[in-house]
């Protein structure tokens, strides 16, 4: 237990978390600090490219085995199953309308890649190796939750169809294509593939760009995430009831538990398990909101965005990460 | 200089919906349209700012399109169908153009 | 399609003044507004360009707001109070909207 | 609040032409103008998007200028001369302003 | 004297100054070269983050002593006193209206962080250490000058109040809050604090991002500053009378002398003195203009911007820096 | 022949080309992946600054000789001569109107700096040195082709003058000034000069910025070029007849042959020859289109842009580069 607390303290006092906190409190204090959208997008592209490439190069070096398939399958099942659980809990414990409950559920089935990055850095600092293909698992977990949540919203029959044209509701193939080909996933998976192809040699040739400054760039990016999360919470807190906020804090723990089981079933290493738990515990705030605005416009972003960004994301980053690493230790 | 009366349709829409609105305009045979990116705003759902939004959701774009009056109703009807379930503000105003062939 | 006449107020203002203008609009109970970022311009004080400006001062933003005619004078009066000492251009024009409830 | 009728001229033009159009406006003694950067669009020559364009060519800017009606024809004539061989859309609309001296 | 000239020559032929000159002449020759606003803002955030963090980490390593408080106090006093001096000189030697004189005075009391960065680099190349907390002194010197100048403008009674509403004139608390929480200061002080907390270990973990490429990034940023300064001078020179231009050249020397005295009183090291002198000699072109557009809109940016950006900034960067370093040598 | 194939394979499987391919296929698959314009512009500035500076520093180290002048002269002659050849071929083999033929011809006389960068990287990986002043040759080759093409368009008399004002046609001095002072050229030549002045010492001081991460940044930039080229081809392919597409594939070979001759005449090294051949073979898609929109607006961008960007650029990057290096080997 000692080491969990040590880990937690070390995490809270790392530059990454402190920059996040700086952004968070700057927003709360209504500072005019902001990072231009173009820069934030550029940093995010860089992070996807770097993490994908490194994962691919590591696969090229250590090879793949049956665990890859098991981990992928576990990820997809988790992403599809968690919204069902989340939805039931929300209906039972909060007064959210069904359509909002389905929308929130989708976020918790999907993942936050930044939380994944933060866990990867913690593992790296602690000298714990992880399966390189976990980035592919991360990519695979982004979308299934959206499909399940849409099915929930429409099958429970309460989505107000109104005068909507057929193509603005339901799961149409165009939407699936869009979700699968969204920019971040393409860069992540594409860089992963390039890493696999060019291997250690390719990695060496661009290491001064994608490895050396990585952690510093992540700090700058987390400063921006802190600004956004703080703003989200500041503007959005009044829309969240205590029951909903509580959900944003315990649902990650439920996800983490399921992630732990999946990691164990798939036979992942300590580092891989920590990443799988983190993915399960994390909630989306990019891919899912964008998809839902198109496919489930009745669901209110003013509920799901502050919850995922302003409550769950900071919780995972600060307290979740050391806890999930400790959890992973239970099966190794 | 001789000018000709046309209608200008302005559609404020969330960025993730942009592709769908443009496809609708394409389907209505408008001769063209232009998109501007909005920077910040506030509506019934509260304020937003481009630099404070992650991903595409949340930020707005403004699509405008100069059309002949004769085509206006058809365009408005089909645009309205797309934006009726989402955030979307549509305005119409009078403009004069100097090249008639273009519209 | 049935449309309803409204007024569109456009306010060009230096970026550092934006927060103050938006607060004024908020205080006047307008239902919403949208801000665009200008790219370059020239006025009596000479030319400016977004890429050639340090810090926030110098660049302009354009705030627009669709309001009901009944509310227009109140909005104009209080906006004018804010911009009277600074650079600021305010225009009003007629538009038609398709969703009456929104404004 | 007392307002005064003016004309708003909007010129959509390819970015490489911007300097030329602004010089024309300067030469016509307009009191000022503002440029917005467009984000995407489609015309007879197909679609374009700011993030998908290399260099300056291809993207559009929108120049607008509030002028007195008395000056409008002169401005339109000389702008038209510049844009007649290029891509360029010019519209004119009615606006009311609150500070007469400025235009 | 020899070594001053050597230093001056070395400074003029350093990549930093040459990139500045490239930008300056490109603007003068009306090249269409420009750096997108978002990139410039991103570079500036990076520089604030890096300089703040490094300062903090150095404080963590070497500790603080009473000098810190003395230096902070000296900085605040300087920032408040210099506008008074500058104002008197301007009223006596130029025909500037009082409101413009007060506005210009505010700029010279406040500071230019880029000039500070350039001096830091020169010190680093010359192997001269400096107190890490000088970045905190820099931050503390940004705002007092603004308050004093507003008081000047309003107390000399000539600020045309006209039909202005009460909240657009005077020193209101909201404005003070805005000035203190402006983005650059928050990043600078926040990174300083993070550097203090995470110390040498934190610094090492992000050094490949914030230390190694620092000088190169500064070169690119100075290219942009050159473009902006050149454009400012090109478009604005016609608004400046010879008396005003001369002020832009000798006021830094007055500031430098006062800075020298303060450094001596505070007991700063050679490097710290050089930085203190540089801060006193430099003039703001970011924080002050933004604040004045709100609080003193009658003052003309067409006067104060070209003077600070197009005259004083280039002067300090090219001739000032070696001179200020030599001055610091007088008391060590 | 073996080694050419090896080289070709190595090139095709390098991270640079794979990132280009990733972008290309992402566009083709209509992914919404995009790189913000400001980031792309920033990356491009960085690349110009880095390549210019390195070239200059290498000139400072190895000195210059008569070859420099010969290479510059050869470059200018090539840039002016190739449009004449290209124009004739286009008129003879395609049904393009004269004005479009002249416009296309201008692109093939001018150069693509990114293709040049890619060749430089290949040379660096292969340990082949090249004359540092080749960046100056590259800059010198950008503009002459435009002048010749305008002369072609107007002298063949078929450019529809219509009601155009005199200043919107022909070669006016303002246009020449603009072309010579365009942003990329100013940064390239300016950084080259700064590299010459500050030499190896200057280079060392900013190497962690301009040398170490260079290849990685180029990969990210090529991802964007892939997106743009793919989009150009996707939207523009229908405007290109088979004859025109074929021209986009064999004209680089003609250019390469002329480049080979010039390199031989100028007495360039193996690396320098490979770069000269690459410049001759490459086609512009930045400077020339911008100039033509002003000076030859009747020419259709829908022809020349997809041809240069969507056909010739990918061809050069993938198959051209190893071939041109092999060609350079013929004279060494
Ligand atoms: N009256 C209005 N005038 C201009 N823009 C508006 C107005 N109302 C809403 N908007 C814009 O539309 C967005 C969504 O509005 P709403 O659906 O009311 O939340 C806002 O964030 C504004 O950018
Ligand atoms: N007549 C006008 N039409 C459009 N924009 C204008 C006009 N006059 C001024 N502006 C804009 O307002 C800014 C300030 O104008 P001024 O106060 O005249 O210096 C200019 O830089 C332009 O961006
Ligand atoms: N009817 C229209 N309404 C608004 N913008 C237009 C219209 N037609 C063309 N445009 C804009 O002008 C550009 C060039 O149009 P074109 O010359 O038709 O290719 C397009 O890419 C659009 O951005
Ligand atoms: Na999850
Ligand atoms: Na000062
Ligand atoms: Na060529």
């Amino acid at each position: 237990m000692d080491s969990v607390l040590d880990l937690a303290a070390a995490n809270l006092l790392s530059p990454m978390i402190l920059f996040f906190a700086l952004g968070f409190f700057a927003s709360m204090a209504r500072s005019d600090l902001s990072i231009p959208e173009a820069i934030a997008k550029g940093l995010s592209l860089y992070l996807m490219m770097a993490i994908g490439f490194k994962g691919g190069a590591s696969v090229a070096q250590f090879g793949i085995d049956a665990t890859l398939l098991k981990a992928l399958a576990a990820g997809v099942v988790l992403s599809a199953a968690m919204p069902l659980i989340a939805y039931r809990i929300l209906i039972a414990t909060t007064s959210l309308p069904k359509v909002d409950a389905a929308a929130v559920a989708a976020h918790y089935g999907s993942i936050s890649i930044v939380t994944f990055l933060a866990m990867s850095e913690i593992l790296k600092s602690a000298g714990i190796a992880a399966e390189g293909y976990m980035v592919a698992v991360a990519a695979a977990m982004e979308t299934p939750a959206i499909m399940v949540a849409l099915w929930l919203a429409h099958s429970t029959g309460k989505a107000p169809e109104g005068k909507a044209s057929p193509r603005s509701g339901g799961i149409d193939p165009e939407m699936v294509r869009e979700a699968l080909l969204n920019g971040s996933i393409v860069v992540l998976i594409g860089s992963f593939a390039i890493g696999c192809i060019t291997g250690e040699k390719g990695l060496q040739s661009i290491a001064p760009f994608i490895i050396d400054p990585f952690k510093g760039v992540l700090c700058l990016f987390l400063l921006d995430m802190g600004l956004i999360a703080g703003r989200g919470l500041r503007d959005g807190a009044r829309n969240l009831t205590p029951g909903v906020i509580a959900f944003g804090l315990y649902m990650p723990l439920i996800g983490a538990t399921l992630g732990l089981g999946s990691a164990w079933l798939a036979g992942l290493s300590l580092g891989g398990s920590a990443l799988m738990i983190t993915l399960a515990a994390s909630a989306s705030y990019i891919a899912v909101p964008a998809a839902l605005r198109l496919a489930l416009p009745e669901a209110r972003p003013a509920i799901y965005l502050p919850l995922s960004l302003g409550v769950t994301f900071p919780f995972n980053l600060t307290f979740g990460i050391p806890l999930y690493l400790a959890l992973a230790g239970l099966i190794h | 200089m001789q000018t000709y009366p046309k209608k200008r349709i302005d559609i404020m829409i969330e960025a993730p919906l942009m592709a769908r609105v443009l496809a609708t305009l394409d389907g209505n045979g408008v001769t063209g349209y232009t998109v501007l990116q909005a920077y910040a705003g506030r509506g019934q759902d509260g304020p937003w700012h481009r630099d404070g939004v992650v991903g595409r959701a949340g930020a707005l774009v403004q699509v405008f399109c100069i059309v002949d009056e004769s085509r206006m109703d058809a365009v408005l009807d089909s645009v309205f169908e797309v934006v009726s379930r989402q955030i979307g503000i549509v305005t119409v105003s009078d403009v004069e153009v100097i090249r008639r062939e273009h519209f």
Side-chain angles (χ1 to χ4, degrees), chain B residues 31-34 64-66 102-103:
Chain B
T31 57
Y33 43 75
T34 301
F64 72 83
C65 168
I66 315 291
H102 217 109
F103 304 95

Side-chain angles (χ1 to χ4, degrees), chain A residues 41-126:
Chain A
K41 222 178 146 187
L43 294 177
S44 144
L45 273 169
Y46 166 85
L47 294 171
M48 297 294 119
M49 177 181 170
I51 191 98
F53 200 104
K54 283 187 275 187
S58 133
V59 165
Q61 202 180 352
F62 299 111
I64 50 171
D65 50 33
T67 324
L68 163 62
L69 292 179
K70 284 195 253 170
L72 275 176
V76 170
V77 170
L78 268 180
S79 172
M82 281 189 292
L84 299 173
I85 300 171
Y87 180 75
R88 253 148 233 254
I89 297 178
L90 286 165
I91 294 294
T93 65
T94 71
S95 56
L96 282 185
K98 288 187 172 168
V99 64
D100 285 329
V104 169
H107 289 74
Y108 286 80
S110 184
I111 58 124
S112 147
I113 202 81
V114 184
T115 315
F116 178 85
L117 289 175
M119 177 57 103
S120 308
E121 274 310 303
I122 294 293
L123 293 176
K124 211 181 107 194
S125 316

Side-chain angles (χ1 to χ4, degrees), chain A residues 157-183:
Chain A
K158 292 302 179 304
E161 287 295 331
K163 52 200 173 311
S165 71
R167 81 167 172 310
S168 62
I171 303 175
D172 68 284
E174 176 60 12
M175 212 209 67
V176 177
R177 197 193 61 80
E178 268 176 25
L180 291 176
L181 283 176
N182 92 53

